[in-house]
Structure formats: C-alpha cells, structure tokens
Amino acid sequence: MDSNRLKDRVAMVTGGSRGIGRATVLKLAQEGAAVVVNYRKRGDRAKQVVDQVRALGGQALAIQADVADQVEVQNGRAVGSGTGTRRYSGQ
C-alpha cells in the first residue's frame, strides 16, 4: 500500500465491486483504510476486489446488502466464514 494517511479508518463503498466503486475501494486501500466492499448481486466481482486489496497488503471485506432497503440496513448483520465475502442477513 502506498500511504498510511487513512490508517485506522474503515470505509464502506457501495457498489464497490465494479466501475467507480472498485476504483474508490482500491484508492482508499492504497491510502491505508480497511475497506468494506458492498455489493448487491455479484459476489464473485466483490471477492475479486477484496482479493486484489489483500494481495496489495490491505484489509478488505465484502458484504452483500441492498442499501436502498432501510429496514434491511437497520436490522441486518454480516454473517459468514472468513473467506472475505459475507452474506448480508436481515435477521
């Protein structure tokens, strides 16, 4: 990673598995932030971004969630194993 300007910070990027979101994840990780990659449907792409951040020495985690659903966001939680990808559960 290039910098530690954002060391000890955590950033969540919605749509972080593709396009501008992916670029944002990578830049935040380069600056030292631990990054949560939020995705709605394409877990495979989110995992690729997480793997890329980790390969560069950063910290990242993917969480599936529909952030447009307020109830899901307020009541949900991340669950899963240590694979770097989490399924968002509204429980």
Side-chain angles (χ1 to χ4, degrees), residues 3-65:
S3 167
N4 282 319
R5 189 170 70 96
L6 298 177
K7 186 178 186 288
D8 299 324
R9 303 287 181 130
V10 177
M12 180 175 178
V13 180
T14 60
S17 65
R18 57 191 172 86
I20 294 170
R22 180 185 188 113
T24 301
V25 166
L26 296 175
K27 182 62 177 171
L28 288 165
Q30 288 174 346
E31 294 291 329
V35 186
V36 177
V37 179
N38 170 250
Y39 69 98
R40 201 172 112 203
K41 293 183 179 181
R42 296 295 309 262
D44 56 331
R45 288 186 182 172
K47 186 171 181 337
Q48 289 174 353
V49 178
V50 168
D51 290 345
Q52 188 174 2
V53 169
R54 289 179 176 176
L56 296 170
Q59 296 179 322
L61 170 71
I63 295 181
Q64 182 178 23

